[in-house]
Amino acid sequence: MKRTKRISAILLTGIMMIATISSFAQRGRNQDRPMLMKKNMQMHQNCFQNLPDLNEEQEAQIEDIRVSHMKEMQKYYNTLNEKRAKLRTLQTQDSPNMDEINSVIEEMGKIRTEKHKARAKHYQEVRSLLNDEQKIYFDKHHMKMNKGLHNKGMHKGKGRHGGCGKM
């Protein structure tokens, strides 16, 4: 009797583990992106809201810069997505043209470089509006958020945004 209960418990535990593992395996990488993007936008906004002694004029200026920067970043993301689709098409043809594939890869690299330069410019624009104490907090918080994103693998794939001065 005890042996039957043990075997049943082991089987039940095994079935539950398999069901759990298979449900996680079915979740695609892109299903997490909208949630991560929303979380990163909230973190980005909180970064500015938590700056010490931020006056209303600074808040308004930062918000203007932030919105402008988000529009600019969206253009980069859209262009990169178009290039990814084109690259996928080129790579899956029966007779792929390596010159075209390499050309698209180089174009994507140029876009990423422009995007990183725009992020650096945005960061410095925001930073220029702050006093010394605020700059220290902003820089420290920015580094902490980037370190957290690196540790979570955010910078290894498509979800490359978040942190103060990034979005």
Side-chain angles (χ1 to χ4, degrees):
M1 194 70 157
K2 287 183 181 181
R3 184 175 174 176
T4 307
K5 286 184 180 180
R6 269 191 193 156
I7 292 173
S8 297
I10 291 170
L11 286 173
L12 183 61
T13 304
I15 291 170
M16 290 173 64
M17 287 175 57
I18 291 169
T20 304
I21 290 169
S22 66
S23 69
F24 281 116
Q26 291 176 5
R27 252 186 99 112
R29 179 179 181 184
N30 288 334
Q31 288 177 331
D32 292 334
R33 275 190 89 196
M35 182 179 67
L36 289 172
M37 288 174 67
K38 183 177 180 182
K39 185 177 179 181
N40 286 334
M41 285 185 69
Q42 289 170 346
M43 287 168 48
H44 180 70
Q45 287 174 326
N46 290 341
C47 174
F48 297 125
Q49 291 171 348
N50 295 331
L51 283 169
D53 302 322
L54 199 63
N55 62 43
E56 289 180 22
E57 183 181 344
Q58 286 175 312
E59 284 181 21
Q61 290 174 326
I62 289 172
E63 184 63 19
D64 288 344
I65 292 170
R66 189 180 76 81
V67 170
S68 171
H69 179 67
M70 286 173 57
K71 288 179 182 178
E72 183 179 7
M73 287 294 105
Q74 189 61 51
K75 290 177 187 175
Y76 290 124
Y77 291 125
N78 291 342
T79 306
L80 278 171
N81 285 333
E82 290 171 9
K83 297 293 181 188
R84 279 188 198 103
K86 184 175 181 180
L87 182 61
R88 215 172 292 121
T89 300
L90 291 171
Q91 289 177 326
T92 57
Q93 291 177 346
D94 288 337
S95 300
N97 181 335
M98 285 306 297
D99 289 335
E100 284 185 66
I101 290 171
N102 289 335
S103 174
V104 172
I105 291 170
E106 288 175 14
E107 290 171 15
M108 291 171 70
K110 288 177 186 173
I111 294 166
R112 286 188 187 106
T113 300
E114 291 173 20
K115 187 175 73 165
H116 285 289
K117 287 179 180 179
R119 282 182 178 161
K121 179 182 172 211
H122 169 67
Y123 181 79
Q124 293 304 321
E125 285 176 349
V126 171
R127 201 170 181 278
S128 71
L129 300 172
L130 306 175
N131 64 34
D132 289 341
E133 181 185 355
Q134 292 167 335
K135 285 179 185 177
I136 292 168
Y137 177 87
F138 183 68
D139 293 342
K140 182 179 178 183
H141 196 74
H142 175 73
M143 294 303 222
K144 187 188 299 185
M145 288 181 72
N146 278 339
K147 182 178 179 184
L149 293 174
H150 278 290
N151 291 341
K152 292 177 184 170
M154 282 294 296
H155 289 278
K156 292 180 183 175
K158 296 178 186 174
R160 297 177 185 212
H161 48 81
C164 296
K166 284 267 187 171
M167 192 58 194

